[in-house]
């Protein structure tokens, strides 16, 4: 699968579980480039939209783990993007970027359901810290620290070891992250687009076959102990065998 505009590479080694895809909706190229650089460095995948309409459509299709949303955008502005997503029941964490203090007042006054806001000029480090904080708050289950057991599979997020029927299973970093994400959210069905965003930090702009390939690999390694269920037309879930 070819991936546009996204980082990092699928099997790049990493110290901790990937942090997912962040959608940056910002029309100033210098700012979006800076955010991309800082967020990538922290292990986030980054996808950029430079106007409100494109941003809204990416938010709907790419299932980012967080959105950095500029208020002043061409076409529909940031407040309207936020309003539409919330109206659709989409509660992806949103961090507003405002150019002036009166914009902050406007954003707060509209009660748009934003998770945080930051005023320009901002330090990219500060933005990264805020993004981490909203993502951490929203992904409570995935942050589960102790070993997870499901059927005959045991997975330890700290040592990154997996056993099936007490036999160690050798998984690649990506296979481990995928299985850990599914097992940390038992029975929750994830679409392929969600898994690409949340596990790989990728935007599913071209295709999602990479998810199927990795699921198949994990399954073949777990063999008789497999806990991944295919939900036809939707995606995948982990649940104990019945
Ligand atoms: Ca702007």
């Amino acid at each position: 699968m070819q991936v546009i505009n996204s980082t990092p590479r699928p099997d790049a080694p990493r110290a901790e579980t990937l942090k997912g895809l962040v959608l940056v909706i910002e029309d100033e190229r210098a700012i979006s480039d800076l955010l991309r650089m800082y967020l990538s460095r922290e292990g986030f995948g980054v996808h950029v939209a430079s106007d409100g309409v494109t941003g809204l459509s990416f938010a709907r299709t790419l299932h980012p783990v967080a959105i950095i949303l500029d208020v002043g955008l061409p076409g529909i502005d940031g407040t309207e993007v936020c309003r539409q997503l919330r109206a659709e029941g989409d509660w992806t964490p949103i961090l507003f970027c405002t150019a002036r203090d009166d914009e902050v007042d406007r954003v707060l006054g509209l009660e748009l359901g934003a998770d945080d806001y930051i005023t320009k000029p901002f330090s990219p480090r500060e933005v990264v810290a805020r993004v981490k904080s909203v993502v951490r708050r929203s992904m409570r289950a995935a942050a589960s620290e102790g070993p997870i057991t499901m059927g005959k599979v045991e997975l330890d997020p700290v040592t990154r070891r997996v056993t099936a029927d007490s036999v160690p299973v050798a998984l690649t970093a990506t296979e481990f992250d995928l299985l850990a994400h599914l097992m940390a959210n038992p029975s929750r069905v994830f679409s392929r687009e969600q898994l690409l965003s949340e596990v790989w930090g990728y935007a599913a702009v071209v295709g999602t076959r990479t998810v199927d390939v990795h699921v198949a690999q994990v399954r073949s390694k777990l063999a008789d102990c497999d806990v991944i269920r295919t939900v036809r037309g939707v995606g995948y879930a982990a649940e104990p065998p019945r």
Side-chain angles (χ1 to χ4, degrees), residues 26-28 70 72-73 120:
E26 167 64 73
D27 59 322
E28 283 172 69
D70 185 27
L73 289 169
K120 293 177 188 173

Side-chain angles (χ1 to χ4, degrees), residues 69-83:
L69 181 55
D70 185 27
V71 173
L73 289 169
I76 57 175
D77 81 0
T79 61
E80 189 52 33
V81 170
C82 183
R83 192 200 315 277

Side-chain angles (χ1 to χ4, degrees), residues 146-157 159-169 171 176 179 183 222 225 227:
I148 311 165
T149 306
M150 188 175 276
K152 291 179 179 171
V153 178
E154 190 169 303
L155 176 145
D156 189 333
T159 61
R160 296 181 68 88
R161 288 206 179 99
V162 175
T163 59
D165 207 3
S166 305
V167 179
V169 180
L171 298 179
F176 179 90
L179 183 62
M183 284 180 65
L222 295 178
C225 303
V227 290

